[in-house]
Amino acid sequence: KNQVEQSPQSLIILEGKNCTLQCNYTVSPFSNLRWYKQDTGRGPVSLTIMTFSENTKSNGRYTATLDADTKQSSLHITASQLSDSASYICVVSPSRGKSTFGDGTTLTVKP
Amino acid sequence: NAGVMQNPRHLVRRRGQEARLRCSPVKGHSHVYWYRQLPEEGLKFMVYLQKENIIDESGMPKERFSAEFPKEGPSILRIQQVVRGDSAAYFCASSPTGVAQETQYFGPGTRLLVL
């Protein structure tokens, strides 16, 4: 069964600090992995998308990494801002069939 | 640059009434996905439609729920005889060709409250 597990479930950090969110998956055969940001009360917005051959991809202060061998991904946020407070969702797509969504990590950035 | 539009944004229904949620995909996208998000939970897939066809409805409850995406007009998610447990945010997403590798573009959601 395809599964996506995210950790931690929630995280509180101070503004300006860095943090790393984790995503482990068992989706097979793997095609790509995406990280979405979902602000409270809004729909998810895509941050990064990585295929099998990509190890790292950045989008501003967001850097995603992928280890296809261990089936793990991380999303690193640098110099956090209050506007980074949101839920971060890891989505893994197989080469055939539908995508599997993680339950998300809720990040709270405090001043 | 119109993204995915959903309406209404908020919907209140009493138990037993019907709820109709509408989704207009990104212009040119012919693939639509509906997701449900219960309070404090993640997104759960419900149904995937292409114009005039239901491709995958494996996440949609067999009773009371139906979805359509007609040739003309928005996609509709219909919930008959709503119950309190249907209270949730319902998100619609669209993509150009429906390939699993594509990014899905999400709408702002419809928040359904069943009294």
Side-chain angles (χ1 to χ4, degrees), chain A residues 35-78:
Chain A
W35 284 94
Y36 282 89
K37 178 187 179 189
Q38 184 178 19
D39 290 314
T40 301
R42 311 190 81 157
V45 174
S46 180
L47 290 175
T48 64
I49 177 169
M50 288 186 293
T51 59
F52 185 88
S53 58
E54 295 174 300
N55 299 118
T56 303
K57 184 162 282 190
S58 292
N59 178 358
R61 295 179 296 101
Y62 301 102
T63 300
T65 65
L66 174 65
D67 185 335
D69 292 330
T70 61
K71 299 187 177 180
Q72 296 179 325
S73 175
S74 65
L75 181 68
H76 186 74
I77 304 175
T78 305

Side-chain angles (χ1 to χ4, degrees), chain A residues 6 34-38 44 87-91 101-102 104, chain B residues 43:
Chain A
Q6 291 189 243
R34 284 164 281 173
W35 284 94
Y36 282 89
K37 178 187 179 189
Q38 184 178 19
S87 179
Y88 291 85
I89 304 167
C90 175
V91 182
F101 284 65
Chain B
L43 288 161

Side-chain angles (χ1 to χ4, degrees), chain A residues 9 31-32 34 36 38-46 49 87 89 93-99 101-104, chain B residues 9 35 37 40-45 48 56 58-59 89 91 98-109 111:
Chain A
Q9 190 172 24
S31 175
N32 66 60
R34 284 164 281 173
Y36 282 89
Q38 184 178 19
D39 290 314
T40 301
R42 311 190 81 157
V45 174
S46 180
I49 177 169
S87 179
I89 304 167
S93 299
S95 50
R96 296 184 72 176
K98 61 179 179 280
S99 302
F101 284 65
D103 284 340
Chain B
R9 293 292 308 274
Y35 296 86
Q37 188 172 37
E40 308 299 324
E41 294 191 13
L43 288 161
K44 301 299 180 192
F45 168 80
Y48 161 36
D56 182 348
S58 58
F91 290 95
V99 175
Q101 298 88 333
E102 280 182 333
T103 295
Q104 295 177 17
Y105 296 85
F106 283 81
R111 276 140 194 87

Side-chain angles (χ1 to χ4, degrees), chain B residues 1-110:
Chain B
N1 182 23
V4 176
M5 310 285 284
Q6 289 188 249
N7 68 80
R9 293 292 308 274
H10 300 272
L11 183 62
V12 180
R13 285 287 179 267
R14 296 192 181 280
R15 280 179 295 169
Q17 291 184 320
E18 178 180 288
R20 279 188 179 235
L21 288 60
R22 296 175 187 77
C23 168
S24 296
V26 173
K27 188 175 181 181
H29 288 191
S30 57
H31 297 258
V32 164
Y33 311 79
W34 284 94
Y35 296 86
R36 177 164 63 177
Q37 188 172 37
L38 294 170
E40 308 299 324
E41 294 191 13
L43 288 161
K44 301 299 180 192
F45 168 80
M46 296 183 73
V47 61
Y48 161 36
L49 310 104
Q50 194 180 356
K51 283 282 187 180
E52 299 185 275
N53 288 303
I54 295 176
I55 307 300
D56 182 348
E57 56 182 349
S58 58
M60 196 159 67
K62 294 287 186 287
E63 297 181 356
R64 301 188 299 108
F65 285 74
S66 62
E68 62 176 13
F69 189 16
K71 188 176 180 181
E72 301 291 337
S75 175
I76 307 284
L77 179 67
R78 183 182 176 207
I79 311 173
Q80 295 178 291
Q81 299 174 337
V82 296
V83 300
R84 288 221 173 106
D86 296 333
S87 295
Y90 292 84
F91 290 95
C92 167
S94 74
S95 67
T97 67
V99 175
Q101 298 88 333
E102 280 182 333
T103 295
Q104 295 177 17
Y105 296 85
F106 283 81
T110 292

